[in-house]
């Protein structure tokens, strides 16, 4: 049923992506009841704690670069369903005006000075606690990618769409083991490893590694 909805949506907007037919069998939602329970609890706590940081960095963003404070972008979620991810803007407002969708790279010239710090500490991801509360995302899971890049990477790595077998997350196994400039191939391998070995204990381990990353900057580039 979810696959049918995803395909229908793609056709409605005028684009049919081949990767939608190659996602594979999902982790059933009934097996993630506790995951969703803790997502709601920690998502609410995280959003409340994040408000002062979002407010302060929102002001800094506005004072240091032109453009909006928040950045919304279409991403692919569970079983191909798309949604808008929310972030604090870390790039120039016209970052992809000429190039279109581009994979993040080390020392990305499109990133602003404050954006570089926010990415290193994961502060730019804080507004996504709202995505978690809505159910589009989880606290832990593969980072959601854009539809056009998912299609592109599927052509090179056929197993890339299999990352969509579980709800995407604010942080994930690939993030704590690679960071922003991790290659699509390695990201695909690590995310699918996470899905195939999914457990609540594994989520706790990733959460602890993420907290370490926020304070040390290790794994974030």
């Amino acid at each position: 049923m979810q696959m049918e909805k995803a395909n229908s949506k793609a056709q409605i907007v005028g684009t049919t992506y081949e990767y939608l037919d190659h996602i594979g069998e999902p982790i059933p939602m009934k097996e993630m009841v506790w995951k969703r329970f803790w997502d709601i609890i920690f998502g609410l706590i995280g959003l409340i704690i994040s408000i002062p940081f979002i407010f302060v960095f929102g002001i800094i963003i506005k004072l240091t670069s032109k453009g909006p404070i928040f950045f919304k972008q279409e991403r692919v979620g569970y079983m191909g369903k798309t949604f808008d991810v929310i972030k604090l803007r870390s790039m120039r407002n016209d970052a992809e005006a000429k190039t279109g969708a581009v994979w993040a790279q080390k020392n990305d010239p499109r990133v602003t000075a404050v954006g570089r710090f926010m990415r290193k500490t994961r502060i730019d991801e804080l507004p996504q606690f709202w995505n978690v509360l809505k159910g589009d995302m989880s606290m832990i899971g593969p980072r959601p990618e854009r539809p056009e890049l998912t299609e592109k990477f599927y052509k090179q790595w056929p197993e890339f769409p299999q990352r969509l077998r579980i709800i995407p997350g604010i942080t994930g196994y690939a993030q704590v083991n690679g960071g922003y400039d991790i290659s699509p191939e390695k990201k695909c391998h690590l995310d699918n490893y996470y899905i195939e070995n999914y457990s609540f204990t594994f989520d706790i381990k990733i959460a602890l590694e993420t907290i370490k990353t926020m304070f040390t900057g290790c794994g974030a580039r």
Side-chain angles (χ1 to χ4, degrees), residues 42-57:
F42 286 110
L44 183 58
I45 294 173
L47 186 61
I48 293 173
I49 294 175
S50 297
I51 289 175
F53 294 95
I54 293 173
F55 180 75
V56 170
F57 278 89

Side-chain angles (χ1 to χ4, degrees), residues 155-190:
K155 302 291 187 181
Q156 297 175 272
W157 303 285
E159 66 275 19
F160 198 85
Q162 295 174 19
R163 301 170 59 255
L164 305 175
R165 291 175 290 164
I166 197 169
I167 299 173
I170 290 181
T171 186
Y173 189 59
Q175 270 53 53
V176 297
N177 286 281
Y180 277 94
D181 63 336
I182 186 174
S183 70
E185 183 178 17
K186 185 176 180 181
K187 183 176 185 178
C188 173
H189 172 74
L190 293 175

Side-chain angles (χ1 to χ4, degrees), residues 33-103:
V33 173
W34 279 108
K35 184 179 181 69
R36 181 57 186 156
F37 173 79
W38 289 113
D39 279 343
I40 293 173
I41 299 298
F42 286 110
L44 183 58
I45 294 173
L47 186 61
I48 293 173
I49 294 175
S50 297
I51 289 175
F53 294 95
I54 293 173
F55 180 75
V56 170
F57 278 89
I59 293 175
I60 295 174
I61 291 170
K62 203 64 179 177
L63 292 176
T64 56
S65 64
K66 295 181 180 180
I69 294 172
F70 296 101
F71 177 71
K72 294 176 65 176
Q73 190 176 69
E74 184 183 43
R75 298 292 177 97
V76 187
Y78 183 65
M79 295 306 291
K81 181 180 178 181
T82 57
F83 67 96
D84 289 329
V85 73
I86 308 170
K87 303 175 68 172
L88 284 169
R89 182 171 58 83
S90 61
M91 291 188 177
R92 300 192 316 269
N93 193 40
D94 62 346
E96 295 184 343
K98 295 181 179 180
T99 62
V102 177
W103 185 257

Side-chain angles (χ1 to χ4, degrees), residues 102-209:
V102 177
W103 185 257
Q105 54 185 299
K106 189 173 183 178
N107 299 320
D108 199 320
R110 301 170 300 167
V111 179
T112 63
V114 66
R116 193 164 291 110
F117 175 79
M118 289 193 298
R119 285 184 164 215
K120 186 176 182 179
T121 56
R122 297 291 197 269
I123 288 175
D124 63 320
E125 313 284 2
L126 294 179
Q128 289 167 44
F129 283 119
W130 176 244
N131 287 114
V132 171
L133 290 176
K134 288 173 60 182
D136 294 327
M137 295 177 65
S138 173
M139 296 294 292
I140 310 295
R143 285 294 300 164
E145 195 48 74
R146 282 171 281 186
E148 57 269 41
L149 288 182
T150 300
E151 181 74 5
K152 175 183 177 181
F153 298 146
Y154 156 68
K155 302 291 187 181
Q156 297 175 272
W157 303 285
E159 66 275 19
F160 198 85
Q162 295 174 19
R163 301 170 59 255
L164 305 175
R165 291 175 290 164
I166 197 169
I167 299 173
I170 290 181
T171 186
Y173 189 59
Q175 270 53 53
V176 297
N177 286 281
Y180 277 94
D181 63 336
I182 186 174
S183 70
E185 183 178 17
K186 185 176 180 181
K187 183 176 185 178
C188 173
H189 172 74
L190 293 175
D191 284 337
N192 283 321
Y193 175 85
Y194 162 74
I195 293 172
E196 290 158 9
N197 295 276
Y198 167 72
S199 69
F200 187 65
T201 303
F202 200 179
D203 275 3
I204 293 175
K205 180 179 179 181
I206 294 171
L208 293 175
E209 286 294 327

